[in-house]
Structure formats: C-alpha cells, structure tokens
Amino acid sequence: MSELRRLADGHLRAGDPTGWFEPLYAAAGDGRAEVPWDVPTASAHLRAYPLPPGGGRRALVVGCGPGRDAEHVAAAGYATTAFDISPTAIDLARSRHPDSTVTYVVADLLDPPTTWARSFDLVLESNNVQALPRSIRATAIARVGTFVAPGGTLLVLAAAAITGEDDGPPWPLTRAEIDAFAGDGLRLVSVDRVDAPDSRLHARWRAVLERS
C-alpha cells in the first residue's frame, strides 16, 4: 500500500476526510512519500484550455498544492489567490515561486473565508474535489461555486468516472457530480469528456460554468 493510500485510509476511518493532505506533504518533504500531482508543469488540460486574458481580474485556484496551476493562471494576467488546506503545501508553493505574484493562502474549502463569496472572476477547480470522498463531496462542490463573481467563470477539471469503481483516492467524478456544480445561480456552459489514454483514470472532464 502506498503512503498516500495508507494516510488517506487512516484519516477516513478516523472521520477526518481532509486530514491526510498535510501529513502527505510532510512525508514527501522527508522523502517517505510522493505527491502524485506534484509535477513540473501546470495540468495539461488547463494548458489546453484557452483562458481569456486576465487583465488584472481576480482569480481563485482551489486546492493549489505546490502552485503549478496557480502560476499558469497568474501568467495569463489574473490577480491570483491560491489556497490549500495543507500549510506545508503552501510553504512549498511559496518557496518554489519566490518571485510570484500569486497570493498563497492556507484555507479550507469546506470552511472558506466569508470575504471570498462571489468575489472572483475566474475560479479554477483542478483535480481537487476528486481527492475528497463522496461523504463530503456534495458540500465541497457547492462551496466551489460560491466563489464565482457575477459575470465570472468556473473551470472544472477532473477525472471522469467510467467504470463505477470507488477505490480512491482519487474518486473520479460522475457526470451527475459535474452537473451539480451548476448550483447557486451558476449556468453550465459546456461539458467535455476527453480521453486520457496515458492515465490510469482513462478519461477526464472539462466543464465551464458561468454566473450571469
């Protein structure tokens, strides 16, 4: 069993479904584990999406980890805030990008700052909710949408559930879960399912939502 799986299983059994992220990053820092999503570049599916120029508009990156996606969004001209529940992940992001314009913050998706409500012109949810078990996923999905400002956009990137298996993390999202992001006044603009033959998860979602 991998260290990731061991940590996740232990915290899930203890009723702490988000508690495994911090010890995972700490273990990775000590060389005892690997963070699977800690790769050198931004998500290929984010890079393939034509982000409109930011022009100084505000963006929020959910569950940013070491910051690769946040830096990509900032490079498109957005005033970017990125958060993670793991203090070690945020420290890592700051150390890797010492000259960054991104504001890296420790925060909990399930209990976010109230000042973030409907405050961001672009919200990126990239592979974060899929790392949360289904017991809290509906709450997490609902929280993501609350960050989108009037006229703003939510971009959701996630593994797609195609086999019915529920052996995670990650726990790939169903189409119904993608559709559930369209709450709190958000409108689903497009949903694409893209084959990912080089990934063990086989397929991915890219969903775009807007608030009028």
Side-chain angles (χ1 to χ4, degrees):
M1 179 183 293
S2 70
E3 184 68 3
L4 181 154
R5 183 65 181 275
R6 187 189 69 78
L7 288 168
D9 286 352
H11 282 272
L12 289 171
R13 287 195 301 271
D16 183 14
T18 62
W20 57 276
F21 293 103
E22 173 60 17
L24 174 63
Y25 278 104
D30 294 339
R32 294 179 288 110
E34 292 185 1
V35 178
W37 52 87
D38 186 5
V39 295
T41 59
S43 163
H45 300 279
L46 173 59
R47 288 184 280 120
Y49 180 75
L51 282 177
R57 292 182 299 162
R58 298 185 71 195
L60 182 70
V61 178
V62 178
C64 65
R68 58 191 172 86
D69 288 352
E71 295 298 321
H72 180 86
V73 171
Y78 289 87
T80 304
T81 298
F83 75 94
D84 202 284
I85 197 171
S86 165
T88 299
I90 292 299
D91 287 344
L92 184 61
R94 290 170 178 163
S95 67
R96 286 190 181 173
H97 311 287
D99 300 319
S100 177
T101 61
V102 176
T103 300
Y104 287 105
V105 180
V106 178
D108 184 351
L109 173 59
L110 302 181
D111 186 22
T114 57
T115 55
W116 288 359
R118 299 198 178 197
S119 294
F120 296 92
D121 303 293
L122 172 68
V123 175
L124 173 63
E125 159 46 39
S126 177
N127 306 314
N128 183 65
V129 169
Q130 71 182 38
L132 303 176
R134 301 197 188 280
S135 60
I136 61 171
R137 186 168 292 179
T139 300
I141 287 171
R143 289 285 190 276
V144 169
T146 65
F147 303 133
V148 182
T153 298
L154 168 61
L155 174 61
V156 178
L157 305 173
I162 59 174
T163 64
E165 295 179 358
D166 205 24
D167 185 20
W171 295 272
L173 273 64
T174 65
R175 174 56 196 264
E177 288 171 325
I178 291 293
D179 290 345
F181 281 96
D184 191 45
L186 290 173
R187 176 177 64 90
L188 193 61
V189 175
S190 64
V191 180
D192 297 307
R193 202 185 85 170
V194 182
D195 289 337
D198 296 332
S199 168
R200 69 179 180 84
L201 299 173
H202 305 299
R204 302 196 56 81
W205 297 116
R206 183 177 68 194
V208 179
L209 301 95
E210 294 178 352
R211 188 188 301 286
S212 57

